[in-house]
Amino acid sequence: MKDNKKVVYWLFTGCILIFIMVIVGGITRLTHSGLSISDYKLVTGTIPPMNEQEWTEAFEYYKQFPEYQKKNYHFTLEEFKNIYFWEWLHRVLGRLIGIVFVVPFLYFLITKQLTKPTIRKSLILLLLGGFQGFLGWYMVKSGLVDMPDVSHYRLAAHLTTAFLTFAYTFWVALDLIYPNRSSIDKGFRNLLRFGMIILIIQIIWGAFVAGLDAGFIHNSWPLMAEGKLIHETVWIEQEPLLMNFVEGKSGVQFVHRYLAYIVVGVILYIWYRSRKLAPEHRHTTAINALLILLGLQFLLGIFTLILYVPVWLGVAHQVGAFFLLAAMTYTLHRFTK
């Protein structure tokens, strides 16, 4: 029989590796390690410097770029080794994910263990994975020219693609676990689709906050700095006005803050609407998981902000977003098929 349990395990393995990749990526960002490796070598890049001479050569190469020249000029070799490790691990995991997706896919394809729909979906997954790798290097390149920081737009594209790749991998696995279609409430399904869109937009602005280091200002809640609902800096950092909300630190944090309330409102409404569905349409476990993860993620966001973004909390907040997206994906799938 095609599309057997081995295929599902393969897809779930991919999901787990992407999850680990997101954690390491979050640590890499929060420790400002992402520009420590300034070149890209597909094969030899998997091997870190193995002796003092190689470490010295890597450090000297790092010194040629803006991050060292403008920000980390005080770094010692030992400090460089610390940031090098996280970026190296991030890249190695990326290569491992590529192998885990490609090699089993070819095996399943050759042994005819995949149906045509699953082959098509798997090819989309491979394209998403390849695109994600390209975006990673495209992001790093933006920090090697003039400024010692990567473009927050490219960071958001890289992170969002990782989240979407996970969500689609999870969706394909769920298609195999639940192959039989059931009757659906189209109105409620469309509400869930809207919730998914809002959540993805929130994730994008979360990446903007990370890319601009906008979590290190206005570190109070529920009001912004100086006890203001909307701080005046939201409007004046960039011109024209709308650019404040995609490039200004205060504006980007403002959007992320108040979009969180919209996410909460939408998911609470989803929960309320679900209670009115017929019993066979309810899938209460999915809805309850979504609600619990929403509350946890909201609290993580508050504490990450008011405690000035400690690395462990920043990573936990990113992981919370990951689990919330997983719960939304599962819920949408259960109310779609």
Side-chain angles (χ1 to χ4, degrees), residues 14-15 18 97 101 124-132 158-171 325:
C15 288
I18 295 172
I97 290 172
F101 271 103
I124 293 173
L125 284 176
L126 294 179
L127 288 173
L128 281 171
F131 185 57
Q132 169 70 356
H158 184 53
L159 179 66
T160 305
T161 304
F163 274 65
L164 293 179
T165 302
F166 162 80
Y168 189 67
T169 305
F170 190 33
W171 188 277
L325 180 67

Side-chain angles (χ1 to χ4, degrees), residues 16 36 50 56 77 132 275:
I16 292 169
S36 57
M50 301 300 291
T56 301
L77 179 59
Q132 169 70 356
R275 293 168 63 85

Side-chain angles (χ1 to χ4, degrees), residues 34-40 61-63 65 91 137 140 144:
L35 294 175
S36 57
I37 303 177
S38 308
D39 57 359
Y40 184 81
Y61 188 67
Y62 173 68
K63 290 179 179 180
F65 296 94
R91 294 190 184 196
W137 177 237
V140 168
L144 300 179

Side-chain angles (χ1 to χ4, degrees), residues 17-48:
L17 285 173
I18 295 172
F19 170 67
I20 296 171
M21 183 77 159
V22 167
I23 293 175
V24 173
I27 296 172
T28 301
R29 174 60 198 169
L30 289 166
T31 56
H32 301 283
S33 303
L35 294 175
S36 57
I37 303 177
S38 308
D39 57 359
Y40 184 81
K41 298 175 182 177
L42 181 61
V43 178
T44 57
T46 59
I47 304 172

Side-chain angles (χ1 to χ4, degrees), residues 104 132 323 333:
Q132 169 70 356
F323 278 119
H333 190 278

Side-chain angles (χ1 to χ4, degrees), residues 242-259:
L242 289 179
M243 295 306 293
N244 284 285
F245 303 109
V246 291
E247 293 187 358
K249 290 186 179 184
S250 293
V252 164
Q253 192 198 104
F254 169 79
V255 173
H256 192 55
R257 271 178 180 257
Y258 292 102
L259 193 55

Side-chain angles (χ1 to χ4, degrees), residues 227-295:
K228 295 180 179 179
L229 186 66
I230 305 175
H231 198 269
E232 61 268 15
T233 52
V234 167
W235 315 104
I236 62 175
E237 288 186 58
Q238 303 289 327
E239 292 183 359
L241 177 65
L242 289 179
M243 295 306 293
N244 284 285
F245 303 109
V246 291
E247 293 187 358
K249 290 186 179 184
S250 293
V252 164
Q253 192 198 104
F254 169 79
V255 173
H256 192 55
R257 271 178 180 257
Y258 292 102
L259 193 55
Y261 294 116
I262 296 175
V263 172
V264 169
V266 170
I267 293 180
L268 285 175
Y269 184 60
I270 287 171
W271 173 80
Y272 172 76
R273 280 282 305 276
S274 72
R275 293 168 63 85
K276 295 177 177 285
L277 297 176
E280 65 271 16
H281 291 307
R282 284 184 183 166
H283 299 297
T284 53
T285 301
I287 296 293
N288 290 338
L290 187 62
L291 199 61
I292 292 168
L293 287 167
L294 170 70

